Amino acid sequence: MNQTAQQTVRVDLEQGLHMVPCSLIARTAERFPCEIHIQKEDRSADAKTMLDLLTLSAENGSMLVLQASGEEARAAVDALARLFESNFSDTDPGSNC
Amino acid sequence: MLLTDFVVSDAILPDLDADTKDAAIRGMVESLSGAGRIPAADSEGIITSILKREELGSTGIGNGVAVPHTKHPAVDQLTATVALSNRGVDFASLDGEAVHILFLLISPPDLPGDHLRGLESISRHLRNPNFCNFLRQAQSCEEVVELLQEADNNQLG
């Protein structure tokens, strides 16, 4: 069943949304069949594409809108929101990355 | 942020002589050192740091592109170089493809915003197929610098 879902999340990472969390977002997003975009102000990135995600340049404290449309949209947004809520805790290696 | 603000022209390698990730990273760091942009004494530490970062997940992000990087106190501003490989480097990329375009980025640890803006600039241009195609055809440092300037000026469509 087609759905749409949206949720606003905050980047709570000292180093911002650098390549490691972007990679985890892309890997998580790819598990879902729906289209997923992440919006920061006037920029929108395909959540399944690393190059797109890196163009968000989302620093610590940035607010992002997760938007999904299509099959499993709600589950996709929930899964991505959980990454932000846990501050990517299992994967963020800290300062030199 | 402009590519030409942080890519060191004198360290560009238009014909990278490396088959492996380790050799590619070493060659690029040594090129930055040779250009006088990082202290020779810090080269090994920077190489180790970049390789350690690769262990967390390849920075080969697909489409023949890799962006190996680290944060290191040896630099006080964003410092990068570009390397091109005709035959391709095995980078254990996300899509399994060999890498032909490499941007190596070293950022000061206390400037995470600059690091993100550098990555943003690199990835924004790498999304442009014209930029990637022209870059892969470039034969000299001068041609690469010219392309970076054209990209900065949004002249590549």
Side-chain angles (χ1 to χ4, degrees), chain B residues 10-83:
Chain B
D10 293 344
I12 290 169
L13 298 170
D15 185 16
L16 180 69
D17 183 22
D19 293 318
T20 65
K21 180 190 282 199
D22 286 26
I25 288 169
R26 178 169 293 278
M28 294 178 80
V29 171
E30 286 176 351
S31 187
L32 280 168
S33 174
R37 293 301 292 267
I38 53 172
D42 285 314
S43 292
E44 282 302 323
I46 290 171
I47 291 165
T48 302
S49 177
I50 293 174
L51 290 173
K52 196 172 165 195
R53 161 63 187 85
E54 290 293 325
E55 289 173 7
L56 297 169
S58 176
T59 60
I61 52 181
N63 297 322
V65 169
V67 190
H69 60 269
T70 192
K71 299 193 173 88
H72 199 282
V75 296
D76 58 9
Q77 61 184 23
L78 216 54
T79 303
T81 185
V82 179

Side-chain angles (χ1 to χ4, degrees), chain A residues 14-20 23 43-45 50-52 54-60 91 93-97, chain B residues 49 52-53 56 59 61 63 65 67 69-71 94 109 112-113 115-117 119-120 122-124 126-127:
Chain A
E14 189 184 347
Q15 303 295 320
L17 205 63
H18 57 95
M19 200 177 274
V20 173
S23 170
R43 291 185 193 186
S44 180
M50 276 291 288
L51 277 178
D52 256 30
L54 290 170
T55 63
L56 290 173
S57 189
E59 294 188 45
N60 191 20
T91 57
S95 62
N96 81 328
C97 301
Chain B
S49 177
K52 196 172 165 195
R53 161 63 187 85
L56 297 169
T59 60
I61 52 181
N63 297 322
V65 169
V67 190
H69 60 269
T70 192
K71 299 193 173 88
L94 300 178
H115 178 73
L116 291 178
R117 282 185 284 277
L119 285 177
E120 184 274 334
I122 292 167
S123 44
R124 176 163 43 86
L126 287 173
R127 282 196 309 187

Side-chain angles (χ1 to χ4, degrees), chain B residues 11 32 42 60 91 101 137:
Chain B
L32 280 168
D42 285 314
F91 228 81
I101 300 172
Q137 292 166 30

Side-chain angles (χ1 to χ4, degrees), chain A residues 7-14 16-17 58-66 80-88:
Chain A
Q7 185 168 337
T8 300
V9 294
R10 183 177 187 277
V11 177
D12 198 5
L13 297 167
E14 189 184 347
L17 205 63
E59 294 188 45
N60 191 20
S62 302
M63 301 303 290
L64 305 177
V65 182
L66 312 174
L80 292 178
R82 275 196 298 277
L83 292 179
F84 284 88
E85 285 157 8
S86 68
N87 294 334
F88 300 82

Side-chain angles (χ1 to χ4, degrees), chain B residues 81-152:
Chain B
T81 185
V82 179
L84 307 174
S85 169
N86 243 331
R87 60 179 186 264
V89 180
D90 179 1
F91 228 81
S93 294
L94 300 178
D95 61 1
E97 298 293 322
V99 161
H100 297 277
I101 300 172
L102 300 96
F103 277 80
L104 182 138
L105 182 66
I106 307 167
S107 312
D110 56 343
L111 296 175
D114 277 8
H115 178 73
L116 291 178
R117 282 185 284 277
L119 285 177
E120 184 274 334
S121 181
I122 292 167
S123 44
R124 176 163 43 86
H125 292 299
L126 287 173
R127 282 196 309 187
N128 181 343
N130 287 343
F131 180 63
C132 291
N133 290 339
F134 291 145
L135 206 47
R136 284 187 62 170
Q137 292 166 30
Q139 303 281 333
S140 66
C141 283
E142 292 73 20
E143 284 181 37
V144 174
V145 170
E146 201 172 311
L147 273 170
L148 299 181
Q149 289 168 341
E150 288 174 1
D152 281 341

